[in-house]
Amino acid sequence: MVSIPKGTRDFGPAQMARRQRVFDTIRHHFRLFGFQPLETPAMENLSVLTGKYGEEGDRLIYKILNSGNFLESLQGEDLHASPGSVAAKICERALRYDLTVPFARYVAMNKGSLTLPFRRYQMQPVWRADRPQKGRYREFYQCDADIVGTQSLVCEGELLALLYLVFASLGLQNNVRLKLNSRKLLAAMASKLGAAGQMLDLTTAIDKLDKIGRAGVEQELASRGFSQSAIAELAPLLDAPIAGFEALDPLMQWLGTAPLAAEGRQELEQILAFAQAQGVPAEVLEFDPTLARGLDYYTGAIIEVKALGVSIGSIAGGGRYDNLTAVFGVPDVPGVGVSFGIDRICDVLEELNLFGTVRAADTQVLVCALDAEGLPDAARITASLRQAGIAAEVYPEAAKLKKQLGYADKLGIGHALLLGSEEHAAGQVMHKDLASGQQTAIAQALLVGYLQGVLK
């Protein structure tokens, strides 16, 4: 039986119309904020991707077998080696895991020709060898906006404003929370627990709090070598409800003079001020001390957008990464960016019934020939409408009128032009408003102007 791989989906015309509305909304705001378009290849060299996403992320990279006899480089002992070491010998390329690392690679390769700060947007699919489930796919689109070449926290404020305006335009302004944390505060937590060298282990574990709960996080921390006393000291953080930026005060009291704590707090407070100055309501901004996002390359603020009232994970996220291009031999190019998850956003809009009526076809007028002799005339009229900017199509057969109008009804086409022998002889066409049923005979020479008035 014919099927598609798990974690992938087909999108029919109706679904694509809804997805396109989301794409168009995001693209409009990207351009409104001055971001420039960019695309990168679907595949990257494996060395570009590995080591950027944490140990779990590295396992989810889709690797591509080398062309030809990819087994020729293997030795007998390789059959007993780890999958990772074998993959390194037979796979030189991989499908991109996200859009940020390929963008950093692009910046490293083209820094000399870029005007800094450089603002780019990118809307392309990515692939992850994840376990498919609701809201989690193996192939999905990301829509990224990044600013590189400046450390100014104004950028974080701009990106929060971008996030809010996009979701407000989609009708989600009352259904989202823009959550913030700082990688510097997470580093201070690790230092406070006497585990400064285990920051990645700490962030990987606590980032799963909303998925596996406190008991699951504590179990994972123990499996990663954290002492019971350190886990117990972290308990108030794992228990505390997320209550906005006032939660910073008790956290700072606990952190005391831990390295980077004061710097992390100061940065978050500045970002909050910049975001509110750009119109982001205070009630949608939320401080979450357990937010980590598990990516190795973040160095400052971390951002995540959660949808309320739906059982779906984050629908957007991002953060500051000031060292990412350094791994490609180009240091000192700070950056910050956010990423919209199109597939999850669409799922949220579907679940909350916020799409409304979206037509699969943009056709405004259907031109119907009532007999075969009228088809050439119908085709000519259709062409003249398109030249005038009116979306039109001709029904390709001189079928019964009921069939032609049924076609228009199914596609949500609101107007039909009927062309029979009488209309042809009189140099006219009959306009039928399919909503009201009203019919009007129009001279063909006046048709374009007439329809432009009707359709405006």
Side-chain angles (χ1 to χ4, degrees), residues 193 195 198-199 201-202 220-228 230-231:
L193 296 173
Q198 293 179 274
M199 178 184 166
D201 290 324
L202 173 67
E220 180 154 344
L221 287 170
S223 70
R224 292 175 177 271
F226 283 81
S227 66
Q228 287 302 314
I231 295 173

Side-chain angles (χ1 to χ4, degrees), residues 134-148:
K134 184 177 182 180
R136 190 180 295 272
Y137 308 101
R138 288 174 171 166
E139 178 186 58
F140 55 97
Y141 261 83
Q142 287 186 340
C143 301
D144 283 18
D146 290 77
I147 307 171
V148 298

Side-chain angles (χ1 to χ4, degrees), residues 33-107:
F33 276 67
F35 291 94
Q36 302 175 55
L38 179 71
E39 287 193 354
T40 59
M43 60 181 175
E44 294 277 349
N45 290 324
L46 183 58
S47 59
V48 167
L49 302 180
T50 52
K52 315 302 188 304
Y53 308 110
E55 58 183 82
E56 292 194 17
D58 280 355
R59 287 199 293 268
L60 300 181
I61 294 173
Y62 267 116
K63 301 170 183 65
I64 301 172
L65 291 174
N66 294 338
S67 302
N69 183 8
F70 57 85
L71 296 175
E72 63 184 354
S73 61
L74 294 183
Q75 306 296 323
E77 58 269 20
D78 290 324
L79 298 177
H80 305 286
S82 67
S85 63
V86 174
K89 291 188 174 184
I90 63 176
C91 303
E92 296 175 358
R93 292 165 293 277
L95 295 177
R96 58 172 172 252
Y97 178 92
D98 72 352
L99 300 180
T100 304
V101 170
F103 173 54
R105 189 266 309 151
Y106 174 86
V107 171

Side-chain angles (χ1 to χ4, degrees), residues 138-200:
R138 288 174 171 166
E139 178 186 58
F140 55 97
Y141 261 83
Q142 287 186 340
C143 301
D144 283 18
D146 290 77
I147 307 171
V148 298
T150 175
Q151 292 182 319
S152 172
L153 300 178
V154 171
C155 299
E156 278 85 340
E158 283 226 303
L159 291 173
L160 288 167
L162 170 68
L163 288 165
Y164 177 72
L165 287 175
V166 166
F167 288 119
S169 295
L170 293 171
L172 288 168
Q173 64 272 21
N174 298 320
N175 296 90
V176 293
R177 291 294 179 268
L178 277 54
K179 304 172 77 170
L180 288 169
N181 197 10
S182 170
R183 200 74 169 184
K184 294 176 181 178
L185 289 180
L186 291 169
M189 292 179 202
S191 179
K192 174 70 175 179
L193 296 173
Q198 293 179 274
M199 178 184 166
L200 180 58

